Amino acid sequence: MSSVFGKNVKVSIFGESHGTAIGCVVDGFPAGVTLDRDLMECVLSRRRAKSDRTTTTRVERDEPEFLSGLKDGVTTGAPIAAIFKNENTRSVDYTGFENTPRPSHSDYSATMRYRGFSDYRGGGHFSGRLTAPLCLAGALCKMALRDRGVTVAAHLAQVGPLSDVYFDPAAITKRELEVMERLAFPAVDPEIAEEMKDLIRTAALERDSWGGVVECFATGLPAGAGSPMFRGVEPVIAGVLFGVPAVKGVEFGSGFAGSASRGSENNDPFRYDESGQVVTATNNHGGALGGITTGMPLVVRAAIKPTASISLPQQTVDLKQKRNTDIVVGGRHDPCIAVRAVPVIESAVAAALLDILLEGQQ
Protein backbone atom coordinates (compact mmCIF):
# COMPACT_ATOMS: atom_id res chain seq x y z
CA MET A 1 0.00 0.00 0.00
CA SER A 2 1.20 3.49 -0.79
CA SER A 3 0.41 4.96 2.63
CA VAL A 4 2.72 2.55 4.48
CA PHE A 5 6.48 2.96 4.87
CA GLY A 6 9.24 1.16 6.71
CA LYS A 7 10.73 -2.32 6.81
CA ASN A 8 11.46 -2.95 10.50
CA VAL A 9 9.17 -0.25 11.88
CA LYS A 10 6.15 0.03 9.60
CA VAL A 11 4.08 3.22 9.76
CA SER A 12 0.64 3.28 8.15
CA ILE A 13 -1.23 6.59 7.78
CA PHE A 14 -5.00 6.60 7.22
CA GLY A 15 -7.95 8.99 6.95
CA GLU A 16 -8.98 12.11 5.03
CA SER A 17 -8.83 15.80 5.88
CA HIS A 18 -12.61 16.12 6.29
CA GLY A 19 -13.36 12.56 7.37
CA THR A 20 -14.35 11.48 10.87
CA ALA A 21 -10.78 10.92 11.98
CA ILE A 22 -7.22 10.45 10.82
CA GLY A 23 -4.64 8.19 12.39
CA CYS A 24 -1.69 5.87 12.20
CA VAL A 25 -0.60 2.35 13.03
CA VAL A 26 3.03 1.80 14.03
CA ASP A 27 3.98 -1.87 13.74
CA GLY A 28 7.32 -3.34 14.87
CA PHE A 29 7.91 -0.61 17.43
CA PRO A 30 10.22 -1.76 20.27
CA ALA A 31 8.63 -2.89 23.53
CA GLY A 32 9.52 -1.20 26.80
CA VAL A 33 9.67 2.43 25.59
CA THR A 34 8.04 4.79 28.09
CA LEU A 35 5.59 7.24 26.52
CA ASP A 36 6.95 10.75 27.07
CA ARG A 37 3.83 12.88 26.84
CA ASP A 38 5.82 16.12 27.10
CA LEU A 39 7.92 15.18 24.07
CA MET A 40 4.81 14.04 22.19
CA GLU A 41 2.99 17.29 22.92
CA CYS A 42 6.08 19.31 21.99
CA VAL A 43 6.12 17.75 18.51
CA LEU A 44 2.35 17.99 17.98
CA SER A 45 2.05 21.56 19.26
CA ARG A 46 4.68 22.79 16.80
CA ARG A 47 2.59 21.38 13.95
CA ARG A 48 -0.66 23.00 15.15
CA ALA A 49 -1.90 26.24 13.59
CA LYS A 50 -0.73 29.39 15.35
CA SER A 51 -2.57 32.58 16.27
CA ASP A 52 0.09 34.89 14.79
CA ARG A 53 -1.39 35.03 11.25
CA THR A 54 1.45 32.96 9.78
CA THR A 55 -0.65 29.77 9.51
CA THR A 56 -4.16 28.60 8.66
CA THR A 57 -7.07 29.57 10.91
CA ARG A 58 -8.24 25.96 10.98
CA VAL A 59 -7.32 24.92 14.51
CA GLU A 60 -7.61 21.29 15.60
CA ARG A 61 -6.85 20.05 19.12
CA ASP A 62 -4.91 17.09 17.73
CA GLU A 63 -5.12 15.09 20.93
CA PRO A 64 -4.32 11.49 20.02
CA GLU A 65 -6.49 8.65 21.25
CA PHE A 66 -4.41 5.50 21.62
CA LEU A 67 -6.27 2.32 20.74
CA SER A 68 -3.55 -0.29 21.25
CA GLY A 69 0.14 -0.91 21.85
CA LEU A 70 0.44 0.75 25.28
CA LYS A 71 0.03 -0.58 28.81
CA ASP A 72 0.53 1.72 31.79
CA GLY A 73 2.24 4.23 29.51
CA VAL A 74 4.81 1.76 28.17
CA THR A 75 4.93 0.23 24.69
CA THR A 76 4.06 -3.48 24.63
CA GLY A 77 5.57 -4.47 21.29
CA ALA A 78 2.11 -4.84 19.75
CA PRO A 79 1.06 -2.49 16.94
CA ILE A 80 0.45 1.03 18.24
CA ALA A 81 -2.78 2.45 16.82
CA ALA A 82 -3.96 6.00 17.42
CA ILE A 83 -6.54 8.38 15.95
CA PHE A 84 -7.12 12.14 15.85
CA LYS A 85 -10.72 13.34 15.55
CA ASN A 86 -11.43 15.95 12.86
CA GLU A 87 -13.41 18.58 14.74
CA ASN A 88 -13.08 21.79 12.70
CA THR A 89 -13.95 20.95 9.11
CA ARG A 90 -15.71 23.33 6.72
CA SER A 91 -16.40 21.28 3.62
CA VAL A 92 -18.53 23.98 1.98
CA ASP A 93 -15.27 25.79 1.13
CA TYR A 94 -14.55 23.05 -1.42
CA THR A 95 -17.86 23.09 -3.29
CA GLY A 96 -17.19 22.94 -7.04
CA PHE A 97 -13.61 21.73 -6.84
CA GLU A 98 -14.65 18.24 -7.97
CA ASN A 99 -14.74 19.59 -11.53
CA THR A 100 -12.23 22.46 -11.38
CA PRO A 101 -8.88 21.16 -10.08
CA ARG A 102 -6.82 23.64 -8.09
CA PRO A 103 -3.45 24.48 -9.73
CA SER A 104 -0.46 22.65 -8.17
CA HIS A 105 -2.78 20.49 -6.03
CA SER A 106 -3.38 16.76 -6.29
CA ASP A 107 -7.00 17.34 -7.41
CA TYR A 108 -6.47 16.53 -11.08
CA SER A 109 -3.97 13.69 -10.68
CA ALA A 110 -6.12 12.07 -7.95
CA THR A 111 -9.20 12.35 -10.15
CA MET A 112 -7.36 10.53 -12.92
CA ARG A 113 -5.91 7.90 -10.59
CA TYR A 114 -9.14 7.12 -8.72
CA ARG A 115 -11.63 7.77 -11.53
CA GLY A 116 -13.32 10.67 -9.77
CA PHE A 117 -14.01 8.85 -6.49
CA SER A 118 -11.28 10.43 -4.35
CA ASP A 119 -12.31 12.77 -1.54
CA TYR A 120 -11.25 16.25 -2.68
CA ARG A 121 -12.49 18.11 0.44
CA GLY A 122 -9.51 19.72 2.11
CA GLY A 123 -7.28 17.62 -0.14
CA GLY A 124 -8.67 14.35 1.24
CA HIS A 125 -5.96 11.77 1.85
CA PHE A 126 -3.45 14.03 0.09
CA SER A 127 -3.88 16.81 2.65
CA GLY A 128 -1.23 18.17 4.98
CA ARG A 129 -3.75 17.29 7.69
CA LEU A 130 -2.39 13.73 7.44
CA THR A 131 0.93 14.95 8.84
CA ALA A 132 -0.57 15.00 12.37
CA PRO A 133 -0.44 11.19 12.72
CA LEU A 134 2.98 11.21 11.03
CA CYS A 135 4.16 13.58 13.78
CA LEU A 136 2.77 11.22 16.41
CA ALA A 137 4.64 8.30 14.86
CA GLY A 138 7.75 10.47 14.67
CA ALA A 139 7.43 11.50 18.32
CA LEU A 140 7.31 7.84 19.33
CA CYS A 141 10.37 7.13 17.21
CA LYS A 142 12.19 10.08 18.79
CA MET A 143 11.58 8.47 22.20
CA ALA A 144 13.09 5.18 21.04
CA LEU A 145 16.01 7.01 19.41
CA ARG A 146 16.65 9.00 22.57
CA ASP A 147 17.03 5.72 24.47
CA ARG A 148 19.76 4.92 21.93
CA GLY A 149 21.50 8.28 22.39
CA VAL A 150 20.23 9.80 19.14
CA THR A 151 18.70 13.30 18.96
CA VAL A 152 16.76 14.57 15.94
CA ALA A 153 15.63 18.17 15.44
CA ALA A 154 14.92 20.62 12.64
CA HIS A 155 14.53 24.32 11.99
CA LEU A 156 13.19 26.61 9.28
CA ALA A 157 16.35 27.29 7.33
CA GLN A 158 14.75 29.52 4.71
CA VAL A 159 11.53 31.29 3.76
CA GLY A 160 11.64 32.96 0.36
CA PRO A 161 14.83 35.08 0.35
CA LEU A 162 15.33 34.96 4.14
CA SER A 163 17.73 32.46 5.74
CA ASP A 164 18.06 31.39 9.36
CA VAL A 165 21.33 31.10 11.30
CA TYR A 166 23.98 28.81 9.79
CA PHE A 167 25.09 25.75 11.77
CA ASP A 168 28.45 24.06 11.33
CA PRO A 169 27.34 20.61 10.09
CA ALA A 170 30.49 19.02 11.55
CA ALA A 171 29.97 20.47 15.01
CA ILE A 172 26.21 20.71 15.62
CA THR A 173 25.53 19.82 19.27
CA LYS A 174 22.76 17.99 21.09
CA ARG A 175 22.13 21.18 23.07
CA GLU A 176 21.54 23.18 19.88
CA LEU A 177 19.07 20.54 18.70
CA GLU A 178 17.22 20.67 22.02
CA VAL A 179 16.80 24.44 21.55
CA MET A 180 15.30 23.83 18.08
CA GLU A 181 12.76 21.41 19.56
CA ARG A 182 11.34 24.12 21.84
CA LEU A 183 10.99 27.04 19.42
CA ALA A 184 7.47 28.44 19.12
CA PHE A 185 8.36 29.77 15.65
CA PRO A 186 10.93 27.39 14.12
CA ALA A 187 13.71 29.86 13.19
CA VAL A 188 16.62 30.02 15.65
CA ASP A 189 17.66 33.64 15.04
CA PRO A 190 14.94 35.77 16.74
CA GLU A 191 15.43 38.73 14.40
CA ILE A 192 15.21 36.54 11.31
CA ALA A 193 12.14 34.85 12.83
CA GLU A 194 10.33 38.19 13.01
CA GLU A 195 11.35 39.05 9.45
CA MET A 196 10.05 35.68 8.27
CA LYS A 197 6.75 36.27 10.04
CA ASP A 198 6.37 39.68 8.42
CA LEU A 199 7.16 38.22 5.00
CA ILE A 200 4.55 35.49 5.44
CA ARG A 201 1.88 37.87 6.77
CA THR A 202 2.44 40.20 3.83
CA ALA A 203 2.00 37.33 1.40
CA ALA A 204 -1.24 36.36 3.16
CA LEU A 205 -2.56 39.91 2.86
CA GLU A 206 -1.69 39.82 -0.83
CA ARG A 207 -3.56 36.49 -1.11
CA ASP A 208 -0.32 34.73 -2.03
CA SER A 209 2.15 32.33 -0.39
CA TRP A 210 5.82 31.50 0.12
CA GLY A 211 7.87 28.31 -0.01
CA GLY A 212 10.75 27.41 2.29
CA VAL A 213 13.49 24.98 3.27
CA VAL A 214 13.55 22.81 6.40
CA GLU A 215 16.95 21.68 7.66
CA CYS A 216 17.11 18.61 9.91
CA PHE A 217 20.00 17.24 11.97
CA ALA A 218 20.57 14.02 13.89
CA THR A 219 23.41 13.55 16.38
CA GLY A 220 24.53 10.48 18.30
CA LEU A 221 24.28 8.12 15.34
CA PRO A 222 26.77 5.26 15.40
CA ALA A 223 29.04 4.65 12.44
CA GLY A 224 28.06 1.67 10.31
CA ALA A 225 24.25 1.87 10.22
CA GLY A 226 22.47 1.47 6.91
CA SER A 227 23.07 -0.55 3.76
CA PRO A 228 24.32 0.16 0.25
CA MET A 229 22.13 1.15 -2.65
CA PHE A 230 18.37 1.03 -2.04
CA ARG A 231 18.39 0.51 1.74
CA GLY A 232 20.98 3.22 2.27
CA VAL A 233 20.49 6.06 4.71
CA GLU A 234 19.81 8.61 1.98
CA PRO A 235 17.29 6.62 -0.10
CA VAL A 236 15.35 5.47 2.97
CA ILE A 237 15.09 8.97 4.43
CA ALA A 238 14.41 10.59 1.05
CA GLY A 239 11.68 8.05 0.33
CA VAL A 240 9.85 9.03 3.52
CA LEU A 241 10.42 12.76 3.05
CA PHE A 242 9.00 12.76 -0.46
CA GLY A 243 5.83 11.28 1.02
CA VAL A 244 5.31 14.48 3.02
CA PRO A 245 2.90 16.80 1.19
CA ALA A 246 4.58 19.77 -0.54
CA VAL A 247 8.14 18.37 -0.42
CA LYS A 248 9.70 18.87 -3.86
CA GLY A 249 13.41 18.46 -3.16
CA VAL A 250 15.75 16.67 -0.74
CA GLU A 251 19.51 17.04 -0.29
CA PHE A 252 22.10 15.70 2.15
CA GLY A 253 25.21 17.51 3.36
CA SER A 254 26.47 20.03 0.82
CA GLY A 255 23.89 18.69 -1.64
CA PHE A 256 23.43 20.69 -4.82
CA ALA A 257 25.92 23.35 -3.73
CA GLY A 258 28.56 20.65 -3.43
CA SER A 259 27.95 19.61 -7.02
CA ALA A 260 29.29 23.00 -8.11
CA SER A 261 32.61 22.58 -6.26
CA ARG A 262 35.82 20.61 -6.80
CA GLY A 263 36.64 17.38 -5.03
CA SER A 264 39.48 19.09 -3.22
CA GLU A 265 36.91 21.50 -1.77
CA ASN A 266 34.08 19.07 -1.08
CA ASN A 267 35.98 16.05 0.28
CA ASP A 268 35.91 15.59 4.07
CA PRO A 269 39.36 14.72 5.52
CA PHE A 270 39.37 11.95 8.14
CA ARG A 271 41.17 12.35 11.45
CA TYR A 272 41.15 11.06 15.04
CA ASP A 273 39.67 13.40 17.64
CA GLU A 274 40.85 13.82 21.23
CA SER A 275 38.88 10.78 22.38
CA GLY A 276 40.33 8.53 19.69
CA GLN A 277 37.20 8.50 17.54
CA VAL A 278 37.37 8.75 13.76
CA VAL A 279 35.71 11.98 12.61
CA THR A 280 35.83 14.21 9.56
CA ALA A 281 37.13 17.79 9.65
CA THR A 282 34.13 18.94 7.61
CA ASN A 283 30.77 17.30 6.95
CA ASN A 284 29.92 17.88 3.32
CA HIS A 285 28.87 14.24 3.09
CA GLY A 286 26.06 14.92 5.61
CA GLY A 287 26.74 11.94 7.86
CA ALA A 288 26.51 9.08 5.37
CA LEU A 289 28.86 7.55 2.78
CA GLY A 290 27.83 4.66 0.56
CA GLY A 291 24.44 4.74 2.25
CA ILE A 292 26.02 4.00 5.65
CA THR A 293 26.41 6.35 8.61
CA THR A 294 29.89 7.65 9.44
CA GLY A 295 29.12 8.78 13.00
CA MET A 296 29.11 12.44 11.97
CA PRO A 297 25.88 14.42 12.35
CA LEU A 298 23.23 13.62 9.77
CA VAL A 299 22.33 16.72 7.75
CA VAL A 300 19.30 16.70 5.43
CA ARG A 301 17.23 19.49 3.90
CA ALA A 302 13.76 19.40 2.39
CA ALA A 303 12.49 22.01 -0.07
CA ILE A 304 8.83 22.87 0.58
CA LYS A 305 6.87 24.38 -2.29
CA PRO A 306 4.74 27.52 -1.80
CA THR A 307 1.22 26.78 -0.59
CA ALA A 308 -0.82 25.95 -3.69
CA SER A 309 -4.10 27.26 -2.23
CA ILE A 310 -3.89 30.99 -2.83
CA SER A 311 -6.81 33.41 -3.20
CA LEU A 312 -5.59 35.10 -6.37
CA PRO A 313 -7.43 34.27 -9.62
CA GLN A 314 -5.80 31.31 -11.38
CA GLN A 315 -6.33 29.42 -14.60
CA THR A 316 -7.66 25.88 -14.58
CA VAL A 317 -10.07 23.66 -16.53
CA ASP A 318 -13.67 22.55 -16.06
CA LEU A 319 -13.51 18.77 -16.39
CA LYS A 320 -17.28 18.45 -16.75
CA GLN A 321 -17.74 21.17 -19.37
CA LYS A 322 -14.35 20.38 -20.96
CA ARG A 323 -13.31 24.02 -21.25
CA ASN A 324 -10.75 26.42 -19.83
CA THR A 325 -11.87 28.52 -16.88
CA ASP A 326 -10.66 30.57 -13.92
CA ILE A 327 -10.73 29.72 -10.24
CA VAL A 328 -10.38 31.54 -6.92
CA VAL A 329 -9.57 29.26 -3.99
CA GLY A 330 -11.29 30.22 -0.76
CA GLY A 331 -11.10 28.52 2.61
CA ARG A 332 -8.44 28.44 5.31
CA HIS A 333 -4.87 27.78 4.23
CA ASP A 334 -1.29 28.29 5.39
CA PRO A 335 0.46 31.18 3.61
CA CYS A 336 3.70 29.22 4.14
CA ILE A 337 3.43 25.48 4.69
CA ALA A 338 7.11 25.27 5.61
CA VAL A 339 6.45 26.76 9.08
CA ARG A 340 4.40 23.81 10.26
CA ALA A 341 6.37 21.36 8.13
CA VAL A 342 9.40 21.60 10.46
CA PRO A 343 8.21 19.01 13.05
CA VAL A 344 6.86 16.89 10.18
CA ILE A 345 10.26 16.65 8.49
CA GLU A 346 11.82 16.01 11.89
CA SER A 347 9.32 13.19 12.51
CA ALA A 348 9.82 11.63 9.09
CA VAL A 349 13.60 11.58 9.59
CA ALA A 350 13.21 10.09 13.08
CA ALA A 351 10.96 7.31 11.79
CA ALA A 352 13.36 6.50 8.95
CA LEU A 353 16.38 6.47 11.28
CA LEU A 354 14.74 4.12 13.78
CA ASP A 355 13.82 1.80 10.92
CA ILE A 356 17.47 1.84 9.78
CA LEU A 357 18.93 1.32 13.28
CA LEU A 358 16.66 -1.69 13.91
CA GLU A 359 17.99 -3.45 10.81
CA GLY A 360 18.97 -6.98 11.85
CA GLN A 361 17.71 -6.53 15.41
CA GLN A 362 14.21 -7.95 14.91
Side-chain angles (χ1 to χ4, degrees):
M1 294 178 62
S2 64
S3 300
V4 181
F5 70 85
K7 177 182 177 183
N8 305 296
V9 177
K10 292 184 174 65
V11 177
S12 175
I13 306 293
F14 62 86
E16 294 86 24
S17 178
H18 285 211
T20 302
I22 55 177
C24 65
V25 177
V26 184
D27 198 355
F29 193 83
V33 176
T34 300
L35 181 67
D36 185 336
R37 292 192 177 274
D38 287 339
L39 189 156
M40 180 181 73
E41 175 58 22
C42 180
V43 174
L44 293 175
S45 66
R46 289 157 60 212
R47 201 209 71 90
R48 288 193 192 102
K50 308 296 187 294
S51 58
D52 60 1
R53 294 180 291 124
T54 62
T55 63
T56 176
T57 56
R58 177 182 177 179
V59 179
E60 297 278 5
R61 289 187 300 165
D62 284 347
E63 296 178 359
E65 178 183 345
F66 287 95
L67 307 178
S68 65
L70 291 170
K71 183 177 183 297
D72 300 326
V74 180
T75 59
T76 64
I80 302 171
I83 61 171
F84 296 81
K85 296 289 181 60
N86 287 325
E87 301 174 320
N88 189 10
T89 58
R90 204 164 71 190
S91 299
V92 67
D93 290 339
Y94 297 89
T95 302
F97 288 160
E98 64 269 32
N99 295 317
T100 53
R102 294 166 293 172
S104 290
H105 267 284
S106 61
D107 297 350
Y108 175 71
S109 54
T111 295
M112 295 296 101
R113 173 67 173 82
Y114 298 108
R115 298 178 291 117
F117 292 103
S118 59
D119 187 350
Y120 60 88
R121 300 170 303 165
H125 188 64
F126 299 87
S127 171
R129 176 84 185 112
L130 275 294
T131 60
L134 176 56
C135 278
L136 176 59
L140 292 168
C141 292
K142 286 185 59 150
M143 297 170 202
L145 288 171
R146 183 179 59 187
D147 292 347
R148 291 163 170 77
V150 178
T151 303
V152 181
H155 71 120
L156 189 56
Q158 183 179 334
V159 172
L162 299 176
S163 298
D164 193 18
V165 62
Y166 170 80
F167 290 93
D168 183 348
I172 186 78
T173 66
K174 177 182 177 181
R175 174 58 184 159
E176 288 172 321
L177 300 191
E178 290 172 343
V179 169
M180 290 182 197
E181 291 179 302
R182 300 291 173 178
L183 293 170
F185 185 87
V188 177
D189 186 316
E191 292 185 6
I192 291 296
E194 291 305 315
E195 291 180 24
M196 286 179 173
K197 290 179 185 179
D198 289 341
L199 191 71
I200 295 167
R201 289 168 184 149
T202 300
L205 289 173
E206 295 172 348
R207 300 185 295 168
D208 214 332
S209 63
W210 279 107
V213 175
V214 177
E215 184 174 51
C216 186
F217 301 94
T219 61
L221 288 167
S227 301
M229 297 191 73
F230 308 116
R231 278 294 294 176
V233 172
E234 297 100 320
V236 171
I237 292 175
V240 180
L241 289 179
F242 276 119
V244 175
V247 170
K248 301 300 288 184
V250 173
E251 67 175 9
F252 293 83
S254 61
F256 287 101
S259 69
S261 64
R262 294 189 175 195
S264 56
E265 300 168 319
N266 195 62
N267 286 353
D268 300 306
F270 286 105
R271 63 178 176 82
Y272 284 102
D273 66 11
E274 296 79 4
S275 64
Q277 297 293 315
V278 174
V279 297
T280 55
T282 51
N283 191 18
N284 292 316
H285 67 286
L289 292 169
I292 300 171
T293 56
T294 63
M296 294 297 290
L298 178 83
V299 184
V300 57
R301 299 175 201 88
I304 312 295
K305 72 178 183 181
T307 309
S309 290
I310 58 176
S311 299
L312 293 170
Q314 300 179 82
Q315 296 179 339
T316 186
V317 294
D318 187 318
L319 298 174
K320 187 175 182 179
Q321 300 293 329
K322 297 187 183 303
R323 61 181 177 84
N324 296 327
T325 188
D326 294 328
I327 188 174
V328 174
V329 179
R332 301 166 293 176
H333 308 285
D334 293 84
C336 180
I337 307 172
V339 175
R340 294 202 292 148
V342 171
V344 182
I345 299 303
E346 184 180 292
S347 296
V349 171
L353 285 176
L354 182 61
D355 187 45
I356 290 168
L357 291 179
L358 290 179
E359 191 80 42
Q361 297 184 26
Q362 299 296 310

Coordinates of all heavy atoms in Angstrom, one line a residue, residues 7 14 20 27 42 45 47 78 95 98 116 159 161 169 199-200 221 234 259 265 285 316 348 351 360:
K7 N 10.5 -0.9 6.9 CA 10.7 -2.3 6.8 C 10.7 -3.0 8.2 O 10.1 -4.0 8.4 CB 12.1 -2.6 6.1 CG 12.5 -4.0 6.1 CD 13.9 -4.2 5.4 CE 14.3 -5.6 5.4 NZ 15.7 -5.7 4.9
F14 N -3.7 6.8 7.8 CA -5.0 6.6 7.2 C -5.9 7.8 7.5 O -5.6 8.6 8.4 CB -5.7 5.3 7.7 CG -5.9 5.3 9.2 CD1 -7.1 5.8 9.7 CD2 -5.0 4.6 10.0 CE1 -7.3 5.7 11.1 CE2 -5.2 4.6 11.4 CZ -6.4 5.1 11.9
T20 N -14.1 11.5 9.4 CA -14.4 11.5 10.9 C -13.1 11.6 11.7 O -13.0 12.3 12.7 CB -15.1 10.2 11.2 OG1 -16.3 10.1 10.5 CG2 -15.4 10.1 12.7
D27 N 3.8 -0.4 13.5 CA 4.0 -1.9 13.7 C 5.5 -2.1 13.8 O 6.3 -1.6 13.0 CB 3.4 -2.7 12.6 CG 3.1 -4.1 13.0 OD1 3.6 -4.5 14.1 OD2 2.5 -4.9 12.1
C42 N 5.2 18.3 22.6 CA 6.1 19.3 22.0 C 6.1 19.2 20.5 O 6.0 20.2 19.8 CB 7.5 19.1 22.5 SG 8.7 20.3 21.9
S45 N 2.4 20.1 19.1 CA 2.1 21.6 19.3 C 2.8 22.4 18.2 O 2.2 23.4 17.8 CB 2.4 22.1 20.7 OG 3.8 22.0 20.9
R47 N 3.3 21.6 15.2 CA 2.6 21.4 14.0 C 1.2 22.1 13.9 O 0.7 22.4 12.8 CB 2.4 19.9 13.7 CG 2.1 19.5 12.2 CD 1.3 18.3 12.1 NE -0.1 18.5 12.5 CZ -1.0 18.9 11.7 NH1 -0.8 19.1 10.4 NH2 -2.3 19.2 12.1
A78 N 3.2 -4.7 20.7 CA 2.1 -4.8 19.7 C 2.0 -3.6 18.9 O 2.5 -2.5 19.3 CB 0.8 -5.1 20.5
T95 N -16.8 23.3 -2.3 CA -17.9 23.1 -3.3 C -17.4 23.5 -4.7 O -16.9 24.6 -4.9 CB -19.1 23.9 -2.9 OG1 -19.5 23.5 -1.6 CG2 -20.2 23.6 -3.9
E98 N -14.7 19.6 -7.4 CA -14.7 18.2 -8.0 C -14.5 18.3 -9.5 O -14.0 17.3 -10.1 CB -15.9 17.5 -7.6 CG -17.2 18.1 -8.2 CD -17.9 19.1 -7.2 OE1 -17.1 19.8 -6.5 OE2 -19.1 19.2 -7.2
G116 N -12.3 9.7 -10.3 CA -13.3 10.7 -9.8 C -13.9 10.3 -8.4 O -14.8 11.1 -7.9
V159 N 12.9 30.9 4.3 CA 11.5 31.3 3.8 C 11.8 32.3 2.7 O 12.3 33.4 3.0 CB 10.6 31.9 4.8 CG1 9.3 32.4 4.2 CG2 10.3 30.8 5.9
P161 N 13.4 34.6 0.4 CA 14.8 35.1 0.3 C 15.5 35.1 1.7 O 16.7 35.4 1.8 CB 14.7 36.5 -0.2 CG 13.4 37.0 0.3 CD 12.5 35.8 0.3
P169 N 27.9 22.0 10.2 CA 27.3 20.6 10.1 C 28.3 19.6 10.7 O 27.8 18.5 11.0 CB 27.2 20.4 8.6 CG 28.1 21.3 7.9 CD 28.1 22.5 8.8
L199 N 7.2 38.6 6.4 CA 7.2 38.2 5.0 C 5.9 37.4 4.7 O 5.2 37.5 3.7 CB 8.4 37.5 4.6 CG 8.7 37.2 3.2 CD1 9.1 38.5 2.5 CD2 9.8 36.2 3.0
I200 N 5.7 36.4 5.6 CA 4.6 35.5 5.4 C 3.2 36.2 5.6 O 2.3 36.0 4.8 CB 4.7 34.3 6.5 CG1 5.9 33.5 6.2 CG2 3.4 33.5 6.4 CD1 6.2 32.5 7.3
L221 N 24.4 9.3 16.2 CA 24.3 8.1 15.3 C 25.6 7.4 15.3 O 26.7 8.0 15.2 CB 23.9 8.5 13.9 CG 22.5 9.0 13.7 CD1 22.4 9.6 12.3 CD2 21.5 7.9 13.8
E234 N 20.4 7.6 2.8 CA 19.8 8.6 2.0 C 18.5 8.2 1.3 O 17.5 8.8 1.4 CB 20.8 9.2 1.0 CG 22.0 9.8 1.6 CD 23.2 8.9 1.6 OE1 23.1 7.7 1.9 OE2 24.4 9.4 1.3
S259 N 27.8 20.0 -5.6 CA 28.0 19.6 -7.0 C 28.6 20.7 -7.9 O 29.1 20.4 -9.0 CB 26.6 19.2 -7.6 OG 25.8 20.4 -7.8
E265 N 37.7 20.6 -2.6 CA 36.9 21.5 -1.8 C 35.8 20.7 -1.0 O 35.5 21.1 0.1 CB 36.2 22.6 -2.6 CG 37.2 23.5 -3.4 CD 36.5 24.4 -4.4 OE1 35.6 23.9 -5.1 OE2 36.9 25.5 -4.5
H285 N 29.6 15.5 3.4 CA 28.9 14.2 3.1 C 27.6 14.1 3.9 O 26.7 13.2 3.6 CB 29.8 13.0 3.3 CG 30.1 12.8 4.8 ND1 31.0 13.5 5.5 CD2 29.7 11.8 5.6 CE1 31.1 13.1 6.7 NE2 30.3 12.0 6.8
T316 N -7.5 27.3 -14.7 CA -7.7 25.9 -14.6 C -8.6 25.4 -15.7 O -8.8 26.1 -16.7 CB -8.2 25.5 -13.2 OG1 -8.2 24.1 -13.1 CG2 -9.6 26.0 -13.0
A348 N 9.5 12.6 10.2 CA 9.8 11.6 9.1 C 11.2 11.1 9.2 O 11.5 9.9 9.0 CB 9.6 12.3 7.8
A351 N 11.5 8.6 12.1 CA 11.0 7.3 11.8 C 11.9 6.5 10.9 O 12.1 5.3 11.1 CB 9.6 7.5 11.2
G360 N 18.3 -5.8 11.3 CA 19.0 -7.0 11.8 C 18.8 -7.2 13.3 O 19.3 -8.2 13.9

